[in-house]
């Protein structure tokens, strides 16, 4: 089973597309965990409605604590062998978890990394990891992945994406790092979880296939926080 964790906060306009894209996965053995982080815009009712429609859906309602807090609640509730994350305002292609699971099983790797599709209006741009496709374990991992997954030598190019959402993790690889993450780190939350998990696993399969649609929003939490940081720096 794959446990798919969806943190949700005041995104009622986009949430149905997100949930439906997960329910429509060709890999059917899913546990879908919707974590409503104290939304005030109707997300509560949307989650409850989908929970009644699909027995694979578990709904958690909690006081607002931020993205990290919501993901922690999802991880604690997860019972799958694998963990995946989808942000509630994004959506995924139908074959995403079937393909990532196949790569995990065939390669024996604990983590699978894929590309991402930046999506806004009718425009789509695909981005890929900068480390070559394939299986990396043991010495290959130490030689070709470990020195480059944060910095490839080219400005602003990660070898691996810092994102949780483009990956499939064996639960034992990600659980500790997600639960030990500070709830207040809502900008660097992915980085502080993803890279330590990859480093500890020393096992990753990389594919350039793109399944995850990242919705480009100027009003997203991280963009607003980053803008505030820039303003503070100028001051």
């Amino acid at each position: 089973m794959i446990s798919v964790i969806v943190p949700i906060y005041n995104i009622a306009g986009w949430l149905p597309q997100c949930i439906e894209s997960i329910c429509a996965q060709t890999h059917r053995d899913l546990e879908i965990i919707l974590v409503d982080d104290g939304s005030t815009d109707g997300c509560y009712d949307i989650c409850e409605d989908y929970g009644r429609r699909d027995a694979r859906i578990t709904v958690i309602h909690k006081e607002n604590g931020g993205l990290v807090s919501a993901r922690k609640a999802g991880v604690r509730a997860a019972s799958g062998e694998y963990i995946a994350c989808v942000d509630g305002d994004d959506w995924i292609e139908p074959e995403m978890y079937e393909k990532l699971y196949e790569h995990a099983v065939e390669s024996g790797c604990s983590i699978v990394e894929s590309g991402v599709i930046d999506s806004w209006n009718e425009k789509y741009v695909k981005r890929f990891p900068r480390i070559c496709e394939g299986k990396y374990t043991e010495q290959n991992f130490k030689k070709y992945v470990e020195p480059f997954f944060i910095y490839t030598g080219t400005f602003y190019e990660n070898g691996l994406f810092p994102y949780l959402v483009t990956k499939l993790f064996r639960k034992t690889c990600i659980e500790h790092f997600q639960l030990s993450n500070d709830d207040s780190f809502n900008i660097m939350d992915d980085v502080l979880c993803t890279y330590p998990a990859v480093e500890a696993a020393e096992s990753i399969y990389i594919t350039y296939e793109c399944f995850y649609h990242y919705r480009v929003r100027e009003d997203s939490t991280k963009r607003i926080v980053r803008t505030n940081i820039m303003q503070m720096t100028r001051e």
Side-chain angles (χ1 to χ4, degrees), residues 53 98 120 131 153 157 159 165 173-174 190 196 204 209 219:
R53 294 191 209 178
E98 179 181 3
W120 60 99
I131 296 174
E157 280 194 359
V165 295
C173 292
I174 195 70
D190 283 21
I204 190 167
E209 297 168 291
D219 63 338

Side-chain angles (χ1 to χ4, degrees), residues 3 20 23 40 53 58 64 101 103 106 113 141 190 196 231:
S3 296
E20 288 173 13
C23 292
T40 59
R53 294 191 209 178
T58 297
N64 180 251
Y101 179 74
H103 289 313
E106 291 172 4
E113 161 84 302
F141 179 91
D190 283 21
Q231 291 172 347

Side-chain angles (χ1 to χ4, degrees), residues 5-223:
I5 298 169
V6 186
I8 297 162
Y9 180 70
N10 286 358
I11 46 170
W14 298 290
L15 185 56
Q17 182 183 18
C18 174
I19 299 173
E20 288 173 13
S21 74
I22 302 171
C23 292
Q25 289 294 293
T26 54
H27 182 92
R28 301 299 297 170
D29 193 9
L30 299 178
E31 175 185 51
I32 305 167
I33 304 173
L34 307 179
V35 185
D36 172 26
D37 190 39
S39 297
T40 59
D41 69 341
C43 288
Y44 184 106
D45 292 332
I46 293 171
C47 290
E48 288 295 315
D49 180 45
Y50 277 98
R52 288 189 290 268
R53 294 191 209 178
D54 194 321
R56 298 174 299 171
I57 293 177
T58 297
V59 179
I60 298 173
H61 297 291
K62 60 183 288 297
E63 292 185 3
N64 180 251
L67 178 59
V68 173
S69 173
R71 283 182 175 155
K72 283 183 179 181
V75 169
R76 292 189 186 100
S79 57
E81 182 182 1
Y82 292 88
I83 293 281
C85 294
V86 179
D87 289 343
D89 52 350
D90 298 331
W91 74 100
I92 58 178
E93 291 293 315
E95 69 277 14
M96 179 169 182
Y97 294 130
E98 179 181 3
K99 294 291 188 180
L100 297 191
Y101 179 74
E102 285 177 358
H103 289 313
V105 172
E106 291 172 4
S107 68
C109 291
S110 299
I111 301 171
V112 180
E113 161 84 302
S114 62
V116 64
I117 309 167
D118 291 330
S119 307
W120 60 99
N121 298 325
E122 299 301 318
K123 185 177 179 181
Y124 302 95
V125 175
K126 293 183 177 181
R127 290 188 287 124
F128 315 97
R130 294 301 182 181
I131 296 174
C132 293
E133 289 182 292
K135 171 184 175 180
Y136 295 91
T137 58
E138 300 176 349
Q139 293 307 311
N140 278 344
F141 179 91
K142 291 185 177 299
K143 183 176 181 180
Y144 297 110
V145 176
E146 193 172 53
F148 305 111
F149 61 68
I150 295 179
Y151 178 55
T152 62
T154 301
F155 180 68
Y156 209 71
E157 280 194 359
N158 311 113
L160 299 177
F161 290 138
Y163 320 132
L164 290 167
V165 295
T166 58
K167 298 173 181 64
L168 181 66
F169 296 88
R170 193 176 291 276
K171 184 181 179 183
T172 52
C173 292
I174 195 70
E175 185 173 26
H176 165 74
F177 298 104
Q178 183 65 79
L179 294 179
S180 62
N181 210 345
D182 191 304
D183 287 2
S184 66
F185 292 159
N186 287 318
I187 299 179
M188 300 180 65
D189 52 296
D190 283 21
V191 175
L192 295 174
C193 188
T194 297
Y195 287 149
V198 173
E199 176 75 16
E202 295 188 347
S203 168
I204 190 167
Y205 184 91
I206 298 172
T207 175
Y208 289 172
E209 297 168 291
C210 296
F211 308 106
Y212 190 95
H213 289 265
Y214 167 69
R215 191 186 302 275
V216 180
R217 293 173 48 205
E218 291 302 324
D219 63 338
S220 70
T221 301
K222 290 186 178 181
R223 286 179 181 269

